[in-house]
Amino acid sequence: MLRTCRMLCSQAGPSPGGWQPLSFDGGAFHLKGTGELTRALFVLRLCAWPPLVTHGLALQAWSRRLLGSRLSGALLRASIYGQFVAGETAEEVRGCVLQLQTLGLRPLLAVPIEEEPDSAVKMGEAWYEGNLSAMLRCVDLSRGLLETPDPMGNALMQLKMTALMSTRLCKELTSWVRRPGESLELSPERLAEAMDSGQDLQVSCLNTEQTRHLQASLSRLQRVVQHARAQRVRLLVDAEYTSLNPALSLLVAALATRWNSSREGGPWVWNTYQAYLKDTYERLRRDAEVADRAGLAFGVKLVRGAYLDKEREMAWLQGTEDPTQPDYEATTQSYSRCLELMLTQVSHRGPMCHLMVASHNEDSVRQATKRMWELGIPPDGPVCFGQLLGMCDHVSLALGQAGYAVYKSIPYGSLEEVIPYLIRRAQENRSVLRGARREQKLLSQELRRRLLGRGLRVSPH
């Protein structure tokens, strides 16, 4: 099987038939019902209204006081929650995923729990242990959602490390890693050995309490990955702020040392790379080379990045250099370079290198599909695409119908858990919401066509 995949990913030239670019003109909307399209248009327009994003939590509280919990909840379920969330129960999630699968799309489940940076409320091992239980249940749910048992392990799930360990500890580790010559004490190999053995880990930069928390955090991460490996679910670790990312990348490297070896069957732990940071291309190139030399599988989720305004604000307050690209065009160029680097890696290393092109940008998606064709990478191979549930469906549906592997990032849970999570994501992704104007236009055109042209189209579901 390994030899077959390598042959598929390293053909001498493009597949026969000529390059046929995908069309993202909304034609694939015919697969969705009129009610779904109407809700999508309403919610996307609503989310593009800046006051709603800025004051979302306050507006939610005001709505509950004015309308009551039941009516306020019903309105949210019929609008924002219904658009972006799979549901609360396992049955509701399965129903949402089943509908996606009929459209040629796959689930990428996300547990909407995380620690706010420097939060004093969500502290204590009990909170992190509770999050661990939620992550383990998500692994089971992700595996159970597959239509048929998949020996290739194509079930994917998002993992937020700061749900399992303190951001304060991550900042301490980041400061230590950044010191010249001091990082050997926290090498990925040493952390991996501590995870495997369960023995106490002594780190000079941490006090007794921090060392105890690090040990417990390593145990939680090991248990999640061990369970995910047994269930054949690949974990995509989320990137966060630059004050945390070096520590998170260190932990990913430690997990990769143990779980991404060639004998394990491909990468089970992936890292996320944010193209809007100036150093991303060099870090990605270096990490790819390190994995190749070590004979480790390498999994990457490539994103533009969601914390632009916050990163610039923190750099200004601290008097440090802005770590982000100067403008949108520079970010686009960075994403393009990283994409080219990773596609070349996939074409050379075959199933030992996996990539998720996580983008709502049509040009980036077109670049990826064209280069996949030129490099001989099969549509349903080591490269997949990712978009958010409820957004960018004109791209997701077109990709899915063309045979590409497309995943929709799917949060699930109760209103109380998910709405604050969604509002926070909206505040971080203002540019994505503003950039959904084209999708709104395509939705309007399709609805107008149905109403004035050929009449209403009944949903096939």
Side-chain angles (χ1 to χ4, degrees):
M1 185 66 193
L2 184 67
R3 187 178 295 111
T4 301
C5 277
R6 284 192 182 278
M7 289 174 64
L8 282 170
C9 292
S10 58
Q11 297 173 9
S15 55
W19 164 243
Q20 295 295 327
L22 294 178
S23 175
F24 302 131
D25 60 0
F29 280 151
H30 76 274
L31 297 166
K32 306 197 80 173
T34 300
E36 293 176 279
L37 299 182
T38 303
R39 183 184 66 185
L41 178 59
F42 170 75
V43 171
L44 290 178
R45 283 183 173 173
L46 195 63
C47 291
W49 186 47
L52 177 68
V53 176
T54 303
H55 307 293
L57 291 174
L59 289 171
Q60 183 198 11
W62 175 83
S63 172
R64 293 184 65 176
R65 287 195 302 269
L66 182 66
L67 303 175
S69 297
R70 181 172 297 181
L71 181 56
S72 174
L75 290 174
L76 283 171
R77 285 184 179 276
S79 56
I80 294 174
Y81 182 96
Q83 181 68 15
F84 299 124
V85 183
E88 182 172 353
T89 66
E91 289 72 22
E92 290 174 340
V93 174
R94 287 192 184 95
C96 173
V97 170
L98 181 61
Q99 185 176 11
L100 289 176
Q101 288 172 337
T102 62
L103 299 172
L105 308 177
R106 308 179 187 187
L108 174 65
L109 294 188
V111 182
I113 49 176
E114 58 187 0
E115 180 183 355
E116 279 292 287
D118 300 319
S119 170
V121 178
K122 298 174 179 177
M123 296 291 287
E125 297 301 331
W127 188 75
Y128 296 111
E129 288 294 323
N131 291 346
L132 170 63
S133 297
M135 293 291 184
L136 294 176
R137 290 194 299 270
C138 186
V139 170
D140 291 334
L141 183 56
S142 297
R143 182 59 184 171
L145 291 173
L146 287 179
E147 292 177 292
T148 56
D150 188 348
M152 292 299 292
N154 285 330
L156 306 181
M157 171 189 143
Q158 290 179 232
L159 177 64
K160 191 93 168 178
M161 279 197 174
T162 51
L164 301 175
M165 66 186 301
S166 165
T167 55
R168 295 181 182 180
L169 176 60
C170 289
K171 288 183 177 181
E172 288 290 337
L173 295 177
T174 291
S175 298
W176 188 254
V177 167
R178 284 174 171 169
R179 294 178 189 174
E182 299 288 355
S183 59
L184 292 179
E185 188 179 2
L186 285 170
S187 68
E189 292 77 16
R190 185 164 184 245
L191 291 177
E193 183 180 351
M195 289 183 195
D196 264 343
S197 66
Q199 296 177 354
D200 291 342
L201 182 68
Q202 298 300 322
V203 182
S204 59
C205 66
L206 303 179
N207 60 35
T208 302
E209 181 181 352
Q210 290 171 325
T211 300
R212 191 179 302 117
H213 178 56
L214 174 60
Q215 198 76 37
S217 300
L218 293 176
S219 174
R220 282 188 286 268
L221 289 170
Q222 177 80 336
R223 287 167 64 188
V224 170
V225 182
Q226 191 172 29
H227 187 57
R229 174 65 184 87
Q231 295 295 321
R232 304 195 64 80
V233 175
R234 303 186 189 276
L235 299 176
L236 280 60
V237 176
D238 289 339
E240 303 189 41
Y241 297 101
T242 52
S243 60
L244 310 176
N245 284 342
L248 303 182
S249 293
L250 171 66
L251 293 168
V252 170
L255 292 167
T257 299
R258 168 64 179 84
W259 296 104
N260 288 359
S261 65
S262 57
R263 67 177 181 274
E264 293 290 346
W268 296 100
V269 183
W270 303 23
N271 205 358
T272 297
Y273 292 81
Q274 302 156 304
Y276 76 155
L277 298 177
K278 294 175 182 175
D279 67 346
T280 293
Y281 178 81
E282 287 303 320
R283 287 193 301 107
L284 180 58
R285 183 187 59 78
R286 181 195 65 218
D287 292 350
E289 290 177 355
V290 168
D292 194 11
R293 285 199 304 269
L296 296 175
F298 190 46
V300 168
K301 181 172 78 167
L302 183 60
V303 303
R304 269 176 167 72
Y307 307 114
L308 179 64
D309 295 336
K310 186 71 172 180
E311 291 287 3
R312 288 177 173 172
E313 178 186 352
M314 291 303 299
W316 182 80
L317 290 173
Q318 296 171 2
T320 56
E321 181 184 354
D322 181 356
T324 66
Q325 299 286 354
D327 49 41
Y328 182 83
E329 288 72 23
T331 298
T332 298
Q333 184 178 12
S334 171
Y335 195 96
S336 179
R337 292 181 69 209
C338 292
L339 180 58
E340 178 64 28
L341 170 66
M342 282 307 302
L343 291 174
T344 302
Q345 286 283 320
V346 171
S347 71
H348 290 161
R349 301 195 66 201
M352 288 290 285
C353 189
H354 286 223
L355 169 67
M356 173 177 281
V357 183
S359 177
H360 289 198
N361 184 283
E362 295 178 18
D363 291 335
S364 295
V365 172
R366 284 196 185 94
Q367 177 192 353
T369 56
K370 183 176 183 180
R371 290 295 290 142
M372 288 171 66
W373 175 78
E374 291 172 346
L375 294 168
I377 301 172
D380 194 12
V383 177
C384 61
F385 295 82
Q387 286 98 31
L388 299 174
L389 179 69
M391 292 189 69
C392 205
D393 282 350
H394 64 296
V395 173
S396 302
L397 292 171
L399 284 168
Q401 293 302 301
Y404 291 91
V406 188
Y407 291 81
K408 298 295 270 189
S409 176
I410 303 176
Y412 66 96
S414 66
L415 279 169
E416 293 73 19
E417 293 170 329
V418 179
I419 293 300
Y421 171 89
L422 288 179
I423 291 172
R424 203 152 47 239
R425 298 288 80 77
Q427 290 169 348
E428 294 166 355
N429 288 277
R430 292 174 190 267
S431 62
V432 173
L433 292 170
R434 288 194 298 267
R437 293 191 187 98
R438 171 166 163 76
E439 186 174 2
Q440 294 175 41
K441 179 181 178 181
L442 294 173
L443 286 165
S444 297
Q445 289 176 351
E446 174 64 13
L447 287 169
R448 194 177 302 115
R449 184 195 66 78
R450 295 187 185 192
L451 292 171
L452 303 179
R454 302 177 185 175
L456 294 174
R457 187 191 301 272
V458 179
S459 170
H461 313 299

